[in-house]
Amino acid sequence: MRLVLLGPPGSGKGTQATRLKETLGVPHISTGDLLRAEVAAGSPLGLQAKEVMARGELVSDDILLGMLESRLGRDDVAKGFILDGYPRNLAQADALDGLLAKIGQPLDAVVQLDVATDLLVERIAGRAQAEGRADDNPESVRKRLQVYNDSTAPVIGFFENRGTLTRIDGVGTMDEITARILAALKKA
Ligand code: B4P
């Protein structure tokens, strides 16, 4: 199964991908996690990404594509993957298309998690208290939501035109949402 999870910040992409990887038996590839690992390691890429992420902006498309290409080159993606956090704009959607065509691994499904903005803000505020992530402060969250509306939301139409997109109500318990995604994947 080759799956992309789309949705605004705080919609539950990372949460659901962590659960689905067990059921589907494929790795969870989160571009946010890959970037945070670079930041934690203090690598040159991490140093470049750190401030951009803390401001809630998007890290450059070139950096992301290089990072993703190297991750998709690993052996564990032979049976597929769950991609979480990519693509985040139309240029990344095109780049993903090209990359997957090159490695002969076209997508099976794209799932969009829909959650209203006030609930997103509430969830991220909860995580800010629990985990203290650098970009979960109110100012960065506002910026991330704006970036999502301006740059990422158009990606929904990109996949809708391909006929690969399923929209899921992302409000409910984590179990309910996992069940909705699995039901949608059966149909796809
Ligand atoms: P991400 O790591 O992708 O962060 P995110 O959008 O906030 O989603 P996340 O997966 O963490 O949250 P989730 O919805 O699971 O990106 C961080 C930054 O990295 C970006 O701002 C950008 O700077 C950079 N970046 C990443 N990818 C990039 C790209 N492709 N291009 C450029 N830059 C990129 O969960 C949120 C909270 O909600 C959690 O606390 C969770 O417990 C809770 N929750 C989840 N489901 C719930 C439910 N059903 N009910 C109640 N709470 C729930």
Side-chain angles (χ1 to χ4, degrees), residues 26-176:
V26 294
H28 167 203
I29 301 177
S30 155
T31 48
D33 286 349
L34 291 174
L35 287 167
R36 280 185 287 276
E38 296 286 347
V39 172
S43 69
L45 192 160
L47 292 176
Q48 254 181 286
K50 189 176 177 183
E51 298 304 322
V52 180
M53 291 174 78
R55 287 199 300 271
E57 293 169 6
L58 293 183
V59 176
S60 92
D61 290 344
D62 288 350
I63 289 184
L64 263 293
L65 184 60
M67 217 172 62
L68 188 64
E69 190 161 16
S70 130
R71 181 63 187 86
L72 289 176
R74 280 170 49 183
D75 291 344
D76 64 346
V77 298
K79 285 190 189 156
F81 52 80
I82 303 167
L83 193 50
D84 151 23
Y86 194 98
R88 260 178 155 90
N89 58 32
L90 288 172
Q92 292 186 6
D94 272 332
L96 180 66
D97 238 11
L99 180 55
L100 295 181
K102 194 164 91 179
I103 61 174
Q105 295 232 39
L107 291 176
D108 296 309
V110 179
V111 168
Q112 160 78 12
L113 295 174
D114 287 319
V115 178
T117 304
D118 52 351
L119 192 51
L120 298 172
V121 171
E122 199 180 296
R123 285 185 187 179
I124 296 174
R127 184 172 62 189
Q129 283 194 327
E131 296 176 22
R133 226 172 80 173
D135 60 347
D136 278 347
N137 62 79
E139 201 182 318
S140 299
V141 171
R142 257 194 308 277
K143 181 68 185 173
R144 284 157 64 197
L145 289 169
Q146 185 203 327
V147 168
Y148 174 80
N149 286 326
D150 294 347
S151 303
T152 312
V155 173
I156 297 172
F158 177 96
F159 288 116
E160 243 163 10
N161 290 339
R162 302 280 171 98
T164 44
L165 187 93
T166 306
R167 296 188 87 131
I168 299 278
D169 177 6
V171 182
T173 66
M174 292 178 191
D175 283 346
E176 282 166 348

